[in-house]
């Protein structure tokens, strides 16, 4: 059934990853196997979440007192150390390099560049269906593709990992519906999938 959030995330993420693969961003996705599972390349995950922000909201506004909804002059990339025990703390570029979470500065620059390209692509894709891409998080890993070690986009890109607002009403179409107890979380995810042309009115 289309009801499941996991199913919707799987479909949306597959759609986005396939599109990113086509514009030359290597991802871990090989193919979707069924409603809930994907076949992916094995990657060694980099323990950093790359957060890309276009509009200030959430923790950014709380931390720095920036008014909610402030449009940033250019995309802001933040790093957080992937560690639940310590609450995924924000870290600086210097931490990422000092603790060898990526091999060297060139790798980090390459990932930053990927983040900006992914942001450009996603902003255009979502804008085309009347959705503002507010912010999102990305994870990368090192994987072996055709015998070459490559940086691969991993995890998923879905309404669980993005903030998505309707362009006109600013209605939230993402996980904030759950975080802020706005209800109708499945309907919001279905709306995103429908607008992207991934699911149609019938529930196939």
């Amino acid at each position: 059934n289309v009801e499941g959030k996991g199913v919707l995330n799987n479909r949306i993420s597959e759609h986005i990853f396939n599109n990113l693969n086509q514009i030359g961003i290597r991802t871990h996705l090989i193919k979707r196997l069924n409603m809930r599972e994907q076949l992916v390349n094995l990657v060694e995950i980099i323990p950093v979440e790359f957060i890309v922000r276009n509009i200030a909201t959430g923790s950014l506004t709380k931390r720095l007192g920036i008014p909610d909804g402030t449009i940033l002059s250019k995309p802001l990339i933040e790093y957080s150390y992937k560690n639940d025990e310590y609450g995924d703390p924000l870290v600086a570029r210097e931490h990422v390099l000092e603790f060898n979470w990526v091999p060297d500065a060139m790798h980090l620059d390459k990932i930053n560049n990927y983040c900006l390209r992914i942001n450009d692509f996603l902003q255009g894709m979502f804008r085309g269906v009347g959705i503002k891409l507010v912010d999102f998080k990305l994870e990368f890993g090192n994987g072996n593709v055709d015998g070459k070690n490559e940086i691969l986009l991993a995890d998923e890109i879905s309404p669980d990992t993005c903030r998505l607002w309707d362009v006109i009403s600013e209605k939230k179409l993402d996980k904030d519906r759950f975080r802020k107890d706005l209800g109708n979380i499945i309907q919001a995810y279905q709306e995103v999938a429908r607008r992207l042309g991934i699911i149609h009115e019938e529930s196939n």
Side-chain angles (χ1 to χ4, degrees):
N1 68 354
V2 157
E3 297 316 312
K5 188 161 82 72
V7 170
L8 288 163
N9 283 339
N10 190 14
R11 294 286 292 273
I12 292 168
S13 195
E14 174 205 23
H15 176 78
I16 292 173
F17 274 32
N18 279 335
N19 279 303
L20 289 172
N21 275 330
Q22 283 167 11
I23 64 160
I25 304 245
R26 305 302 291 265
T27 78
H28 72 165
L29 178 67
I30 298 169
K31 63 176 183 182
R32 181 165 64 87
L33 296 174
N34 55 38
M35 295 290 270
R36 294 180 190 281
E37 295 170 313
Q38 297 177 348
L39 182 65
V40 297
N41 269 308
L42 184 66
V43 298
E44 189 187 339
I45 285 282
I46 294 164
V48 177
E49 282 181 355
F50 294 81
I51 301 151
V52 184
R53 299 178 179 274
N54 296 308
I55 299 171
T57 194
S59 65
L60 179 63
T61 56
K62 291 190 192 74
R63 258 185 292 134
L64 303 178
I66 310 293
D68 194 64
T70 300
I71 294 169
L72 305 172
S73 65
K74 60 177 195 292
L76 177 66
I77 301 178
E78 295 181 324
Y79 311 122
S80 86
Y81 175 44
K82 267 176 67 67
N83 187 311
D84 287 341
E85 196 185 336
Y86 298 111
D88 298 338
L90 275 189
V91 291
R93 176 186 175 89
E94 287 74 15
H95 294 103
V96 177
L97 296 172
E98 172 62 32
F99 302 120
N100 300 317
W101 293 331
V102 298
D104 52 44
M106 206 175 75
H107 263 75
L108 188 53
D109 291 342
K110 191 171 181 181
I111 293 174
N112 282 347
N113 193 23
Y114 279 168
C115 289
L116 295 174
R117 283 181 56 203
I118 292 165
N119 185 45
D120 276 348
F121 174 78
L122 291 181
Q123 272 192 304
M125 183 184 81
F126 282 121
R127 195 182 297 123
V129 295
I131 295 173
K132 273 190 232 191
L133 177 63
V134 176
D135 58 37
F136 59 100
K137 74 176 176 66
L138 297 172
E139 293 185 24
F140 294 87
N142 294 301
N144 196 308
V145 181
D146 306 327
K148 277 214 327 260
N149 198 26
E150 297 253 12
I151 298 168
L152 300 178
L153 177 64
D155 194 42
E156 65 171 8
I157 297 178
S158 74
D160 266 3
T161 64
C162 301
R163 280 197 178 92
L164 304 169
W165 295 352
D166 180 82
V167 162
I168 295 163
S169 67
E170 300 217 324
K171 176 180 154 187
K172 294 174 171 55
L173 299 170
D174 57 61
K175 197 174 172 183
D176 272 350
R177 300 205 68 81
F178 173 73
R179 291 191 196 105
K180 297 182 189 301
D181 209 16
L182 299 170
N184 290 354
I185 188 162
I186 296 295
Q187 285 89 329
Y189 284 38
Q190 281 175 344
E191 169 91 358
V192 172
R194 256 201 305 276
R195 288 199 199 183
L196 292 173
I198 298 165
I199 59 168
H200 307 290
E201 297 306 323
E202 73 273 16
S203 57
N204 58 354

